[in-house]
Amino acid sequence: TKLKLERDLRQSEKLATIGQLASGLAHEIGTPLNIISGRVELAKRKLDDKEGVQKNLDIVIQQTERITKIIQRLLGFVRKKKPEQRNLNITALLETTLDFLDHEIQKQKVKVVRETEDHLPSVMGDPDQLQQVFLNIVLNAVQSMPEGGTLHLSASTKVTSKEGLEDGQRRYVEVKVQDTGMGMEREVMDNIFNPFFTTKEKDKGTGLGLTVSQGIVQDHEGWIEVESETGKGSLFKIYLPSYQGER
């Protein structure tokens, strides 16, 4: 069925995204492992210093917990399951996205500027699917800045309407992902949501990322808008209806 094909497509793109994140996560896990190894060596050398041993063991426990959280986050993202409908905190999802991509962001020397509206309304949806959308779009933004730059991430409330439904205004959560990267030519902008269209090298992605992201956002009754200019970076705006149960 069409629904199964869409789910399979999303899963294949999710696995492609995981592949891109693998080196970053290896680094993320490698750091606490190095700390653990160093602290165990220190403790072994000073077994008579009970206070010092205790301090080193506390650090080992902290770092072990850190690794556990990283693995749980990754497993939660990879597992295939039916879409959920949950009351979601978009700010928390964006923070997790930045955690996932921390190594990539540091490697590319990208400065992150966050701007989140206080008391942002929640959104109803599937956390894994929306996480996939933010990962794809933020990763694209970071990779468009090979010489470094600024990633501006914001979330705010906007009362607007879908194109063609000007009468049906409602409250949306607007997530903006803006980079100072290479930007896009008009031809690229016109094709970015087409399946398998990609400007990346073969091992960097399938080209399905934005197609899948757009499909997920549309399933959540939202949409994605793009503004870009060659040499001046790109701005992605993701609109998701706010949870109507809140007043």
Side-chain angles (χ1 to χ4, degrees):
T1 63
K2 184 173 181 283
L3 190 64
K4 186 183 181 300
L5 279 171
E6 281 181 1
R7 276 203 196 123
D8 290 348
L9 177 67
R10 283 175 194 173
Q11 186 65 12
S12 67
E13 177 55 29
K14 183 189 274 192
L15 293 172
T17 308
I18 288 293
Q20 292 176 47
L21 296 175
S23 64
L25 284 163
H27 174 85
E28 210 178 325
I29 290 169
T31 305
L33 279 175
N34 286 338
I35 295 169
I36 288 167
S37 173
R39 292 292 166 171
V40 169
E41 280 298 322
L42 278 173
K44 273 170 69 181
R45 276 188 235 146
K46 298 177 180 178
L47 289 173
D48 296 337
D49 176 9
K50 281 190 179 178
E51 207 174 294
V53 168
Q54 186 69 49
K55 185 185 167 190
N56 285 319
L57 290 179
D58 284 343
I59 291 169
V60 166
I61 290 164
Q62 284 167 13
Q63 297 302 314
T64 308
E65 285 170 355
R66 186 175 156 193
I67 291 170
T68 305
K69 280 179 187 167
I70 292 165
I71 292 166
Q72 283 172 344
R73 238 177 34 216
L74 183 62
L75 287 175
F77 180 64
V78 175
R79 284 193 189 111
K80 188 175 182 177
K81 56 185 178 183
K82 287 180 181 175
E84 287 183 59
Q85 281 295 307
R86 271 171 45 194
N87 209 336
L88 301 176
N89 179 331
I90 291 295
T91 308
L93 273 181
L94 291 172
E95 284 300 322
T96 310
T97 302
L98 291 175
D99 281 350
F100 259 130
L101 298 176
D102 185 56
H103 173 62
E104 196 84 22
I105 287 165
Q106 286 188 38
K107 191 175 79 177
Q108 303 276 76
K109 296 184 174 61
V110 169
K111 182 189 173 194
V112 180
V113 177
R114 296 182 191 85
E115 208 176 311
T116 310
E117 189 180 290
D118 290 336
H119 312 299
L120 193 71
S122 56
V123 163
M124 282 299 283
D126 185 294
D128 277 356
Q129 288 193 357
L130 289 177
Q131 183 83 81
Q132 190 176 350
V133 171
F134 297 141
L135 271 168
N136 276 323
I137 291 174
V138 173
L139 186 62
N140 280 346
V142 171
Q143 289 177 341
S144 79
M145 299 184 279
E147 307 299 318
T150 303
L151 173 72
H152 197 281
L153 204 56
S154 71
S156 58
T157 313
K158 187 168 183 178
V159 176
T160 185
S161 56
K162 275 188 190 177
E163 196 178 337
L165 294 172
E166 278 66 23
D167 295 341
Q169 287 222 331
R170 64 186 288 189
R171 191 167 62 149
Y172 289 86
V173 171
E174 178 191 49
V175 176
K176 291 183 183 177
V177 181
Q178 188 160 22
D179 63 66
T180 56
M182 298 177 281
M184 292 178 273
E185 294 169 5
R186 170 56 57 188
E187 189 196 346
V188 173
M189 284 234 329
D190 290 343
N191 283 288
I192 55 167
F193 292 115
N194 291 347
F196 305 109
F197 176 83
T198 182
T199 56
K200 296 178 183 178
E201 295 156 40
K202 277 184 183 175
D203 60 340
K204 294 285 186 182
T206 59
L208 291 172
L210 289 173
T211 310
V212 169
S213 297
Q214 188 191 48
I216 291 170
V217 172
Q218 285 173 346
D219 283 353
H220 285 76
E221 294 180 40
W223 71 95
I224 302 174
E225 290 177 7
V226 191
E227 294 171 20
S228 188
E229 207 177 316
T230 311
K232 292 189 178 176
S234 303
L235 167 63
F236 280 76
K237 293 193 264 190
I238 303 140
Y239 292 94
L240 295 161
S242 68
Y243 177 46
Q244 294 300 301
E246 294 183 6
R247 291 279 174 251

